[in-house]
Amino acid sequence: MKNSIVFVLCFFSILFVGAQTIEKQAPQGFDVEKKEISHGKIDTIQYNSSTVGTNRKALVYTPPGFKKSEKYPVLYLLHGIGGDEKEWFKNGTPHIILDNLYAQGKLKPMIVVLPNGRAMKDDRATGDIWEKDKVEAFTTFEKDLLNDLIPFIEKKYPAKKDRENRAIAGLSMGGGQTLNFGLGNIDKFAWVGGFSSAPNTKEPQELLPNPAKAKELKLLWISCGDQDRLMPFSKRTSDYLTENNIPHIFYVEPGGHDFKVWKNDLYLFSQLLFKPINQQEVNDSLQSE
Ligand code: FER
């Protein structure tokens, strides 16, 4: 008798809950500041980098209602080749997008860290940003992130410290860093999002020599604008994952290589974080007409 009740309940909940679906585009107003809602807070922090040998800056967004007595998951959100720790803040207004999502109850409370991904003594985006040592500094940032910034954040903020509560995402050069660092350190990150990833993205075989390992990820998100000339770097990565039966989301969205696309990515990606997820269903929902 009991079993049959459980069976009937399960059957109807599957019927009514249905597949995990997701919007494809943020609605109008998603990035407009609303005075009447609660707001998160942005801090500028400085941490000592043993990797670079300097004190380095990062911005940290804590959510509305943030309490030191609670523990939060953390998203590390990386900028592009022309940016620094302020690029997302100035051009992507993540604090506004996330405040609005919190007001609608659509986000799991999390801390968001906006680092400077150019790990060198002069890490400003000035002069020739394409200079070899400046480009190489984006590779060096892996050590700075893992050995200096993450330990600092986890000491100074009430952060959850396990891989399932740590996410990494980024745009363009930061998307390449995200895939390189995230897939190279699956023991450290369970949520990975490459937005319009740049040519610094390692080739698939090098990125993921043991593809089955990526099954340990909760979310592997790869997105790119359909007008973006950097599409091949996202597509070759997604193709390799598909060939190896690795669950992931590949979202080709309308647009080019710009913040219109990246703000939409943050809007969609952030809502998936730190919650139960069926990547196949979200992927199918994003592909549907
Ligand atoms: C490149 C083209 C684009 C490249 C990097 C980028 C290192 C990055 C662009 C961005 O971050 O917006 O050839 O090589």
Side-chain angles (χ1 to χ4, degrees):
M1 181 58 191
K2 259 201 185 138
N3 278 350
S4 58
I5 292 173
V6 170
F7 176 79
V8 168
L9 285 177
C10 286
F11 180 78
F12 280 103
S13 45
I14 288 166
L15 215 72
F16 288 123
V17 173
Q20 189 167 12
T21 57
I22 183 176
E23 307 158 270
K24 292 198 243 308
Q25 291 289 313
Q28 240 187 346
F30 80 110
D31 58 349
V32 176
E33 191 170 356
K34 298 183 178 52
K35 291 271 179 280
E36 67 278 13
I37 64 168
S38 304
H39 300 280
K41 186 166 162 281
I42 293 261
D43 300 326
T44 299
I45 57 105
Q46 286 211 39
Y47 62 101
N48 181 264
S49 166
S50 59
T51 304
V52 179
T54 53
N55 286 329
R56 309 198 66 232
K57 286 189 178 142
L59 303 190
V60 179
Y61 167 87
T62 48
F66 173 76
K67 288 195 200 73
K68 278 245 161 193
S69 57
E70 282 178 26
K71 294 257 186 259
Y72 297 86
V74 185
L75 164 64
Y76 294 84
L77 185 60
L78 314 181
H79 62 79
I81 196 159
D84 58 22
E85 73 279 0
K86 294 203 196 95
E87 184 183 41
W88 262 105
F89 178 67
K90 286 198 284 201
N91 303 311
T93 60
H95 50 303
I96 298 176
I97 295 173
L98 300 177
D99 281 351
N100 290 343
L101 283 168
Y102 283 115
Q104 297 179 60
K106 289 183 169 173
L107 281 191
K108 179 96 177 172
M110 67 184 91
I111 295 169
V112 181
V113 181
L114 311 176
N116 180 319
R118 189 184 295 99
M120 62 193 294
K121 287 202 162 67
D122 178 4
D123 60 9
R124 299 297 96 199
T126 48
D128 180 6
I129 55 167
W130 298 94
E131 226 171 61
K132 191 162 171 279
D133 58 338
K134 294 195 182 178
V135 172
E136 281 171 3
F138 280 84
T139 306
T140 311
F141 181 63
E142 180 170 9
K143 283 206 181 71
D144 179 278
L145 174 67
L146 297 178
N147 301 335
D148 304 312
L149 180 58
I150 291 178
F152 176 88
I153 292 294
E154 294 183 354
K155 217 161 119 188
K156 163 121 187 184
Y157 287 88
K160 292 188 177 170
K161 299 180 185 178
D162 56 306
R163 63 182 289 281
E164 298 207 356
N165 285 295
R166 210 182 279 125
I168 183 166
L171 69 89
S172 197
M173 202 67 175
Q177 287 177 308
T178 291
L179 295 176
N180 295 346
F181 307 167
L183 299 180
N185 296 279
I186 290 172
D187 58 324
K188 302 253 175 15
F189 303 97
W191 310 80
V192 173
F195 310 160
S196 318
S197 301
N200 62 327
T201 311
K202 290 179 183 169
E203 293 207 17
Q205 302 281 352
E206 194 196 343
L207 191 59
L208 209 51
N210 170 17
K213 178 81 181 158
K215 291 188 176 164
E216 292 171 23
L217 293 170
K218 296 275 180 195
L219 171 59
L220 176 46
W221 165 289
I222 295 170
S223 57
C224 192
D226 59 0
Q227 306 298 313
D228 190 334
R229 65 184 177 83
L230 299 186
M231 176 64 85
F233 302 98
S234 290
K235 177 145 191 334
R236 75 177 183 197
T237 312
S238 171
D239 286 348
Y240 176 81
L241 295 166
T242 303
E243 282 155 26
N244 288 284
N245 293 314
I246 304 306
H248 69 287
I249 290 169
F250 183 45
Y251 180 37
V252 177
E253 63 201 290
H257 197 73
D258 57 47
F259 264 97
K260 187 168 185 301
V261 165
W262 303 323
K263 287 165 82 169
N264 190 52
D265 293 335
L266 177 66
Y267 176 87
L268 298 176
F269 177 80
S270 62
Q271 292 181 67
L272 300 172
L273 288 179
F274 312 120
K275 297 174 182 172
I277 174 168
N278 182 325
Q279 297 195 73
Q280 183 69 54
E281 284 182 359
V282 174
N283 193 56
D284 291 350
S285 157
L286 283 167
Q287 314 288 339
S288 66
E289 288 306 313

